[in-house]
Amino acid sequence: MIRAGLVACFAVLISVLPVSAEIRIKEVTSPGGITAWLVEDHTIPFTALELRFRGGTSLDAPGKRGAINLMTGLLEEGSGEMPAQDYARAVESLAASFSYDADKEAVSVSARFLTENRDKAIDLLHQTLVAPRFDQDALDRVRAQVLSGLRSDAENPNDIAGRAFSKMAFGDHPYGSDGSGTIDTVSTLTRQDMFDAHDAVFARDRLFVSAVGDIDEAALGALLDTLLGDLPETGAPQPGPAEVMIEGGTTVIDYDTPQSVALFGHVGIERDDPRFFAAYIMNQILGGGSFESRLMTEVREKRGLTYGVYSYLLPRDLGSVYMGSLASANSKMAEAVAVIREEWSRLAREGVTEKELQDAKTYLTGAYPLRFDGNGRIASILVGMQLDGMPIDYVRTRNDKINAVTLEEINRVASEVLQPDNLHFVVVGRPDGLKTGG
């Protein structure tokens, strides 16, 4: 009953946080030289803290694919003198919440805690970062969970398509393989591999921090040094750039299912490219998630070939792609692919209309403030901005950059960024009339 009450109380505190009309971001540097972005909100005695360590699963050592992912899954399985159950009880007794995740870009650590329990919560989180246990029984238990997931993914058409596309796009670069590893690599990982993976990730030279809530600059500075001050200065070297090698064509992977799934794409555009905002608006018009997008109109509304089709820019630290996805009946997939190819080519040739541009601007600028719907969400956005190299005033200037894009600019960028001849489809299923080829 006590545990349920604490969890319920914590959930309520998260849900009632106000949406800020204006996000005022301060840059805070601790006495020990650690920098963070802070948004103060003293309306509720609660703070959201976000940490990111650049590199993520791309830092796996050779032959140890999946080590960082497995290590991240073990961080909540005890630390210091506390085995897993004792650690979990200690966190729950404070009505705190810690979560950990790893992807190809970063290892993420998220913390939520009440002001009255801040110091004790930070002490527990600090143990995780500097004194993980990686007990063998916990390693075996979490490894079994990861292996179960890998076996399931091996039978999932979407995951099959994703792995194939990544391999074709990025080859032997870490972006070209699944950060969760393979059954063979994960099965052989040792306890020492977990300590090595931990050392590779948790260092100050790749650290980004944001905090939102009931904490001021002085308190945050002290917290940063307590939590992060004794991390090593450097970790494993970051991988080099990833060349996008995928070429135009179609790859069909046979899979016995009545509905095929497809991923499609080609080389993308970097987040710091001066053309990015024009490309971002262009993608919203082409297939950015709206039912008014060209792909949704042509593939779903006019022809009934799919329930949903989407395109998206995927700017990554080391190599960017421009991608899309859909699912369709085997009997309809070939037509859907043909329609997407034509719409990709038509937009590159003809550009967009003034009305499409204005409608996309209205949607993108109007929807942006809705992202800031709670302290946890704001903290996640702020730390993501830092990872992407955005200036601290980006929240205030972002909509101005959207509105500044002209029709001439967006149509020029469309002709440069869209590459119909290089568009590659990876289709998993048994689609009628489609086969592997250029």
Side-chain angles (χ1 to χ4, degrees):
M1 290 295 292
I2 293 174
R3 174 181 175 183
L6 288 170
V7 173
C9 175
F10 191 73
V12 168
L13 283 171
I14 294 175
S15 66
V16 300
L17 292 173
V19 178
S20 298
E22 181 179 358
I23 306 298
R24 298 183 179 180
I25 308 169
K26 306 174 186 178
E27 185 170 273
V28 175
T29 301
S30 75
I34 300 170
T35 299
W37 286 7
L38 167 66
V39 174
E40 292 189 45
D41 179 0
H42 300 288
T43 57
I44 294 174
F46 160 82
T47 300
L49 180 71
E50 291 288 338
L51 312 177
R52 297 291 184 275
F53 295 87
R54 189 189 295 280
T57 62
S58 297
L59 298 174
D60 276 334
K64 305 294 183 180
R65 199 65 172 131
I68 288 171
N69 177 69
L70 181 56
M71 178 275 295
T72 305
L74 284 164
L75 290 175
E76 58 187 334
E77 297 292 331
S79 64
E81 299 299 318
M82 296 181 177
Q85 289 187 345
D86 291 345
Y87 187 85
R89 290 191 190 101
V91 174
E92 290 179 3
S93 72
L94 299 174
S97 172
F98 304 149
S99 61
Y100 311 89
D101 192 24
D103 60 27
K104 293 177 183 179
E105 302 289 284
V107 168
S108 304
V109 181
S110 302
R112 311 288 184 260
F113 46 83
L114 300 174
T115 303
E116 64 182 286
N117 296 332
R118 178 196 300 155
D119 291 345
K120 292 180 179 179
I122 291 303
D123 285 344
L124 284 174
L125 185 60
H126 175 254
Q127 283 187 195
T128 298
L129 299 181
V130 302
R133 292 175 63 94
F134 301 138
D135 293 328
Q136 189 64 48
D137 61 338
L139 171 58
D140 293 340
R141 181 175 63 255
V142 176
R143 187 208 314 270
Q145 295 169 359
V146 172
L147 291 172
S148 177
L150 289 172
R151 293 186 185 99
S152 177
D153 291 346
E155 303 298 323
N156 185 305
N158 291 292
D159 289 306
I160 294 170
R163 289 193 297 272
F165 189 95
S166 294
K167 183 64 177 177
M168 285 187 284
F170 297 111
D172 293 332
H173 191 275
Y175 282 4
S177 60
D178 188 345
S180 297
T182 67
I183 290 174
D184 288 342
T185 61
V186 173
S187 295
T188 60
L189 293 172
T190 67
R191 186 166 179 257
Q192 183 58 50
D193 291 331
M194 298 299 96
F195 287 106
D196 293 342
H198 186 274
D199 292 343
V201 170
F202 291 107
R204 288 175 56 168
D205 66 336
R206 62 209 56 207
L207 170 66
F208 300 87
V209 186
S210 68
V212 179
D214 186 31
I215 188 168
D216 61 23
E217 295 177 57
L220 178 59
L223 180 155
L224 293 173
D225 285 345
T226 297
L227 178 62
L228 305 164
D230 52 0
L231 289 180
E233 285 296 326
T234 60
Q238 300 284 347
E243 179 185 359
V244 180
M245 300 180 293
I246 198 164
E247 299 178 346
T250 302
T251 299
V252 176
I253 300 174
D254 183 71
Y255 192 84
D256 187 10
T257 175
Q259 178 172 271
S260 296
V261 301
L263 285 179
F264 53 93
H266 55 59
V267 67
I269 183 171
E270 305 298 331
R271 183 64 185 77
D272 59 357
D273 191 304
R275 303 172 297 168
F276 183 82
F277 280 100
Y280 181 63
I281 301 171
M282 176 205 70
N283 177 68
Q284 177 65 26
I285 295 167
L286 177 60
S290 166
F291 278 93
E292 305 302 318
S293 74
R294 289 192 180 187
L295 292 183
M296 194 72 85
T297 298
E298 296 296 328
V299 181
R300 171 182 163 146
E301 299 301 325
K302 289 186 178 180
R303 296 172 176 84
L305 302 176
T306 185
Y307 179 78
V309 55
Y310 310 97
S311 63
Y312 44 94
L313 297 168
L314 192 57
R316 288 176 167 164
D317 287 347
L318 304 174
S320 300
V321 286
Y322 190 0
M323 296 189 66
S325 63
L326 81 154
S328 184
N330 285 332
S331 60
K332 297 181 178 180
M333 180 58 83
E335 183 181 0
V337 168
V339 173
I340 292 168
R341 288 192 184 280
E342 173 53 31
E343 289 305 309
W344 213 268
S345 181
R346 184 167 72 92
L347 185 52
R349 292 192 316 267
E350 301 174 5
V352 306
T353 67
E354 182 66 38
K355 183 178 186 307
E356 286 177 318
L357 174 58
Q358 294 307 318
D359 287 348
K361 286 182 177 181
T362 298
Y363 175 80
L364 292 172
T365 57
Y368 187 60
L370 302 180
R371 298 182 184 182
F372 300 89
D373 60 353
N375 286 17
R377 186 78 181 274
I378 295 170
S380 294
I381 291 172
L382 297 191
V383 80
M385 287 168 52
Q386 295 174 68
L387 273 169
D388 288 339
M390 297 178 185
I392 199 167
D393 66 348
Y394 176 80
V395 172
R396 180 174 54 83
T397 64
R398 181 263 195 189
N399 280 356
D400 292 338
K401 297 180 188 296
I402 294 287
N403 285 324
V405 174
T406 66
L407 184 65
E408 178 182 8
E409 180 184 4
I410 194 172
N411 287 336
R412 173 180 56 80
V413 170
S415 68
E416 295 169 352
V417 172
L418 293 169
Q419 301 180 17
D421 291 343
N422 291 326
L423 192 60
H424 195 106
F425 283 77
V426 176
V427 183
V428 178
R430 292 179 175 173
D432 298 342
L434 273 183
K435 61 181 181 179
T436 296

